[in-house]
Amino acid sequence: MFDSKETHVSSTPAMASNDNAAMDQEALKLAEMGYQQSLARNYSLISILGVGFSLTNSWFGISAALITGINSGGPVLLIYGLILICLISICVGVSLSELASAYPNAGGQYFWASELAPRLWADAASYATGWAAWAGSVFTSASVCLAVASAGVGCWQLSHPDFTIEAKHVVGAYEVINAFCFFFNCYGKVLPTMGHLALWTSLVSFFVILVAVPASAPSHQHARFVFANFVNNTGWSNNGIVGLINANYAFACLDCATHLAEEVHRPERMVPIAIMGTVFIGFCTAWPFAISMFFSISDLDSLFNTSTLVPTLALFYQALSNKAGAIVLEALIMATGIGCLVSSHTWQSRLCWSFARDRGVPFGKYLSHVEPRLGVPMRAHLLSCAIVGALGCLYLGSYTAFNSMVTACIVLLYISYAIPVTCLLLRGRNNIPHGPFWLRKFGLVANIVLLCWTLFTFVLYSLPVVMPVQAGNMNYISAVYGILALIMLVDWFVRGRRNYRGAGKRHLDSGELVREIGHGEVKM
């Protein structure tokens, strides 16, 4: 998987010079790609894994869809669906890791598409990939923010039974949480610590809930309910396979670590470890969590009809028979969700910033600025969070439309992975420089699985969730695609096709950047 050569870091006084030499080499590699080293490499392996896992956070994703998923497939689809999605996510992770190892760059998939696509349409492919990836990241932040906000409002309702939840209450909490998490990404040096903290918060919360709920539950479901109970209340005759989206959501956003490639040493090694580690930890937490919670259900109907509108909170109350205890457990999920949202803000800001420096978005020069005192792309961060805040208002108008946007985040991210992988296969896997993470034939299989799954999800997740279709249950994901495509096309023809800095322009700039580093003119 990885070659055996490791860089030895001396513990002698020569350490500083060795570190500087390593930084020079990493800055030189980046310059050869056409970029300056703008962000400090503050992340370690654990902190980049913390950011990657706390964003994907598979067990947290399952907690948000645990009960609602029963209507579309029942426990059996979620339990076995998690195994299927984990296997597919391994293929997705391998595909991303190979490219991240060969081309470690904060641009991630849009940069890979630019480097690998045929010259004639490289800029257009890269541009479309960048927009799909950034939109997917912003939609993901919106979905996480809504989950945390709903949990908070649900806790208030549980402690105040006379309170009736309305959309405006959830949106108000949504905006507060989005603004609160915004500040954690305003100072670069604290972000690696936040990655550590988010990782351990998630794992500790998972363990506490995993033990407390089944141990306190007054009764438990039989194994047949958990492992063989198939439910289809969707109106579809396909046995509710559309419910796979609940398991799929738990393994979304695997590209997060790739966009921190310019903030960690030896990214060609560290990023693949973070990606594959995220899949491994994700399954090891999500699968036991789902099984444990399903066994702990004593009254399923009350979870569907809970006045808190948060089925997991109702499950905790059902198991513990204590409101304070249930709120404490839900608070652990909220703390995990806040760590997830902070990581998502980091992810979306890095995507916006890296894409902006190649003029992929309007006002690219302005948005690609890195605030030197704070060490973060503050403008890209502010814009991304502002869009997340604006999207929250959609919940006031249509809960169904908001959910369609959440579904779109999964498919858009898969599309952003599929474009560079398609370009890789068209060029030939052996016709690019391989990084230390390269899996040869298994990598080819992983690429094919990723492309097939992307096509499958594009079709499946565009279908209505329930039948018969009405305005209140319609899947508006096609409208989301249409609006995004319209924005992209208008920007491309008005500005992008002339200003976008694709591979050709970057390669012209790289020579000058390499010379500047050679003369010590670039600050790192």
Side-chain angles (χ1 to χ4, degrees), residues 185-322:
N185 269 276
C186 291
Y187 189 55
K189 288 187 177 180
V190 306
L191 288 177
T193 302
M194 284 300 303
H196 280 90
L197 183 61
L199 174 63
W200 289 110
T201 297
S202 177
L203 294 178
V204 170
S205 299
F206 158 75
F207 181 77
V208 170
I209 296 172
L210 185 73
V211 173
V213 174
S216 304
S219 62
H220 297 90
Q221 292 287 347
H222 49 76
R224 183 176 181 82
F225 172 82
V226 178
F227 295 105
N229 185 28
F230 207 102
V231 179
N232 179 22
N233 294 326
T234 65
W236 283 96
S237 59
N238 62 2
N239 294 328
I241 196 172
V242 291
L244 272 175
I245 191 172
N246 297 303
N248 210 157
Y249 183 71
F251 284 93
C253 319
L254 291 178
D255 62 297
C256 176
T258 69
H259 306 292
L260 298 174
E262 296 172 31
E263 299 176 66
V264 63
H265 292 293
R266 297 190 299 164
E268 66 279 0
R269 295 174 179 274
M270 298 300 103
V271 171
I273 292 174
I275 293 173
M276 301 310 297
T278 294
V279 177
F280 175 76
I281 300 174
F283 181 76
C284 290
T285 53
W287 204 60
F289 180 82
I291 293 173
S292 175
M293 295 304 105
F294 281 137
F295 268 116
S296 302
I297 296 173
S298 56
D299 183 1
L300 183 58
D301 289 337
S302 68
L303 302 186
F304 285 127
N305 301 315
T306 175
S307 57
T308 67
L309 305 184
V310 183
T312 49
L313 175 59
L315 172 59
F316 296 160
Y317 181 47
Q318 193 177 96
L320 275 65
S321 300
N322 182 285

Side-chain angles (χ1 to χ4, degrees), residues 365-437:
K365 187 175 182 180
Y366 178 81
L367 292 172
S368 62
H369 173 75
V370 174
E371 179 58 49
R373 294 175 300 173
L374 302 176
V376 295
M378 192 66 186
R379 297 169 183 173
H381 175 44
L382 179 60
L383 174 64
S384 298
C385 287
I387 296 174
V388 172
L391 291 174
C393 298
L394 183 62
Y395 188 84
L396 289 171
S398 173
Y399 175 74
T400 304
F402 189 96
N403 277 348
S404 297
M405 181 187 65
V406 173
T407 303
C409 82
I410 300 174
V411 181
L412 286 172
L413 289 174
Y414 277 137
I415 290 173
S416 76
Y417 307 157
I419 294 175
V421 168
T422 300
C423 296
L424 171 65
L425 296 181
L426 290 175
R427 170 170 287 202
R429 287 174 51 84
N430 291 324
N431 294 329
I432 69 166
H434 299 167
F437 185 97

Side-chain angles (χ1 to χ4, degrees), residues 30-93:
L30 196 57
E32 291 171 348
M33 299 179 190
Y35 301 99
Q36 291 186 10
Q37 180 72 56
S38 301
L39 298 172
R41 295 185 183 266
N42 292 325
Y43 282 88
S44 64
L45 174 60
I46 297 299
S47 57
I48 197 173
L49 173 61
V51 173
F53 172 72
S54 61
L55 173 57
T56 299
N57 231 324
S58 300
W59 78 267
F60 169 75
I62 288 298
S63 73
L66 188 68
I67 307 303
T68 55
I70 290 181
N71 269 326
S72 52
V76 67
L77 186 61
L78 192 57
I79 295 297
Y80 298 110
L82 279 172
I83 298 175
L84 172 65
I85 298 298
C86 178
L87 294 175
I88 292 169
S89 296
I90 290 173
C91 294
V92 174

